[in-house]
Amino acid sequence: MKFTFKLFIYAAFIIMASACTDEYRLERKEDRLYGAWIFESASFKENGDLFRKNRDAEFVGDIIEFYRDYTASFDDRLDRVVYPGNWELILDRATYDGEDDAEFLLDMDFFDRGRPAMTYLCGVNNLSWERLNLRANVRGGVYYFRLRRL
């Protein structure tokens, strides 16, 4: 009886310890990402500027769909073009001043007739079942996107 109880406690400890692994956290985030997302707002902050500029006209209404095979599609409503692409979710772990910090990054590449059309490496600020907030650093500044699940 005592051996069974110790075995149970040991197994419970192993399960709890393995549930917090980086791979598990990544899989949970990926599960939330699958599906179609529509842009609700977009803004851009140029390097050196204090405030963001509204860029809704360029992105609002566009749809990104993430598939389980790590492919994606970007439906540009203005150009009336659907760009095929691929994506990868990355867990970046860094240690500063003894604190362990984790950040999720979303790497997306979209193509036009086989050539790269758009490439974004985004910090994932928020990813829930309903909302997705991204921060994309580009050459001239930073884009901020807010998306909603369709």
Side-chain angles (χ1 to χ4, degrees), residues 14-61:
I14 294 296
I15 290 171
M16 286 191 305
S18 67
C20 297
T21 64
D22 289 345
E23 292 82 20
Y24 179 75
R25 291 180 68 191
L26 219 82
E27 288 175 6
R28 283 183 43 215
K29 288 282 188 188
E30 286 179 353
D31 285 343
R32 291 183 203 155
L33 188 62
Y34 300 135
W37 298 86
I38 188 167
F39 283 82
E40 285 191 325
S41 71
S43 60
F44 183 71
K45 182 178 173 186
E46 288 188 46
N47 292 334
D49 282 358
L50 292 176
F51 302 103
R52 300 178 191 177
K53 295 176 185 162
N54 186 319
R55 293 286 179 92
D56 287 351
E58 295 175 37
F59 293 96
V60 170

Side-chain angles (χ1 to χ4, degrees), residues 11-114:
F13 177 75
I14 294 296
I15 290 171
M16 286 191 305
S18 67
C20 297
T21 64
D22 289 345
E23 292 82 20
Y24 179 75
R25 291 180 68 191
L26 219 82
E27 288 175 6
R28 283 183 43 215
K29 288 282 188 188
E30 286 179 353
D31 285 343
R32 291 183 203 155
L33 188 62
Y34 300 135
W37 298 86
I38 188 167
F39 283 82
E40 285 191 325
S41 71
S43 60
F44 183 71
K45 182 178 173 186
E46 288 188 46
N47 292 334
D49 282 358
L50 292 176
F51 302 103
R52 300 178 191 177
K53 295 176 185 162
N54 186 319
R55 293 286 179 92
D56 287 351
E58 295 175 37
F59 293 96
V60 170
D62 292 353
I63 297 171
I64 295 180
E65 190 159 359
F66 299 99
Y67 304 106
R68 292 188 180 275
D69 64 355
Y70 300 101
T71 60
S73 64
F74 185 95
D75 187 352
D76 189 327
R77 71 173 170 85
L78 284 179
D79 294 341
R80 297 181 184 199
V81 175
V82 177
Y83 299 99
N86 51 53
W87 65 274
E88 179 182 9
L89 194 63
I90 302 161
L91 176 58
D92 184 27
R93 190 171 286 288
T95 305
Y96 298 106
D97 297 331
E99 292 185 25
D100 192 22
D101 190 25
E103 179 181 18
F104 288 94
L105 302 170
L106 179 59
D107 187 11
M108 301 179 288
D109 298 303
F110 297 98
F111 304 95
D112 184 18
R113 296 182 202 120

